[in-house]
Amino acid sequence: MIRNDFKEHSRITVTWKDKEGKLRPGNFYVYALLKDAMIVRATDKDGLLRKLPYGDVLRVVKFQDVAPQDRYMIPDEILKEASWKDTDVMMRYSSSPHRGK
């Protein structure tokens, strides 16, 4: 898949390839699109932020835009490509919509 197949602030259900090469189902919230990867949060598992290369996504099963009032926010510094240069996974709490945080 390529960058144009995805959109920031969306929820996606995909088939993706993990580090061992196994195919996995995944539900993700897309925060940012970088040059070669996207920053996502797994919404069905551990909730960690991940750098998911576009090439590791084999198929998009479901795509849903997220309304502005329902978006999860993370500081822009965390989403910059330089922050992810040597990192693939990051534990970071985000503000929750409708919670006043």
Side-chain angles (χ1 to χ4, degrees):
M1 310 230 63
I2 60 172
R3 186 176 196 257
N4 294 338
D5 295 330
F6 303 98
K7 185 177 175 185
E8 291 182 351
H9 298 292
S10 61
R11 293 181 190 274
I12 57 174
T13 301
V14 299
T15 301
W16 65 289
K17 185 173 44 172
D18 67 9
K19 289 189 187 269
E20 291 83 37
K22 293 184 179 181
L23 298 182
R24 305 272 183 200
N27 293 308
F28 298 106
Y29 181 94
V30 179
Y31 283 101
L33 302 176
L34 306 178
K35 190 169 84 173
D36 297 323
M38 57 186 149
I39 306 304
V40 299
R41 180 182 301 275
T43 58
D44 60 346
K45 292 189 173 48
D46 52 19
L48 297 175
L49 286 177
R50 299 178 188 281
K51 180 168 79 172
L52 182 62
Y54 301 119
D56 287 354
V57 178
L58 303 178
R59 189 175 88 177
V60 176
V61 178
K62 184 178 175 184
F63 177 89
Q64 179 182 3
D65 282 324
V66 176
Q69 69 272 15
D70 295 329
R71 292 180 178 171
Y72 290 90
M73 298 303 195
I74 288 185
D76 289 337
E77 286 296 316
I78 299 294
L79 299 176
K80 288 186 177 177
E81 194 149 3
S83 299
W84 290 90
K85 184 177 179 184
D86 299 323
T87 306
D88 290 330
V89 178
M90 184 183 298
M91 183 179 291
R92 177 74 187 185
Y93 295 102
S94 63
S95 64
S96 175
H98 312 296
R99 301 279 188 228
K101 296 180 182 177

